[in-house]
Amino acid sequence: MKNDILLKRLQDFEFLRGLDHETIEALAKSAVWKVFAPHGVVFWEGDTESNLYYLQYGSLKALRTAPDGREQVLRFLDAGEIFNEIGVLAKRPNPVTAVALEESGIWLIPRHALEEVVMKYPQTALQIIGNMADKIIDLVTLAADLSLKTVEARFAKLLLDSAEGDVIERRRWTNQTELAAHLGTVPDVLSRVIRELTKAGLIEMDKQHIRILNRAGLAERAMLQGD
């Protein structure tokens, strides 16, 4: 039954378009299902991974750890996302650690199954490379933001990018520690930024939601007025 769910999802993936039903079905049958508890490590930075991952439910963070133990969260992953293309295709040590933020169900598609598809359908490799390129662009943007923008600007931009309408749902793990790690700062600094944005009437926060009250003002704080 679980493989049937995966099969339906694989048929919708952009990077697998053009494949016949039998090929996608074989790919689904090769997959292994795993459930990770909150804070469970899916893989470690430096591991040589041999699987492509599909996050069916739950949430993850991809991070790097400094020698002093400080974390830099590079991205959050939500249900429906594919990840670890570099590990499975480049056969190089993984550049990040992936950790479950809540209970997460993940499909592991083995390298050998994906390689068979790529050898038979070269256009699939190009589509996967395109998917990887989009993520590389996101990382370049993150690096530029960390270097050139203040914590306030980075936080304001994160809120604008994450909002559904003008509301960001606060999930159990969306706390100031995780957000600070993603923004390249510490919780105390982020707390001061939140107080300032709240005092300015740009946002309001409670335990369930963050609400944008003044989108234009928040965009100005995010240094987006010239975009």
Side-chain angles (χ1 to χ4, degrees), residues 11 73 190 220:
Q11 290 170 336
V73 177
L190 180 58
E220 185 175 349

Side-chain angles (χ1 to χ4, degrees), residues 175-209:
N175 53 52
Q176 290 188 26
T177 299
E178 295 292 356
L179 289 173
H182 183 52
L183 294 168
T185 188
V186 294
D188 287 349
V189 172
L190 180 58
S191 293
R192 290 197 294 271
V193 167
I194 291 172
R195 287 196 299 270
E196 175 59 30
L197 294 178
T198 302
K199 183 179 178 180
L202 301 180
I203 65 171
E204 65 178 11
M205 295 179 63
D206 57 36
K207 291 182 179 180
Q208 284 76 40
H209 303 94

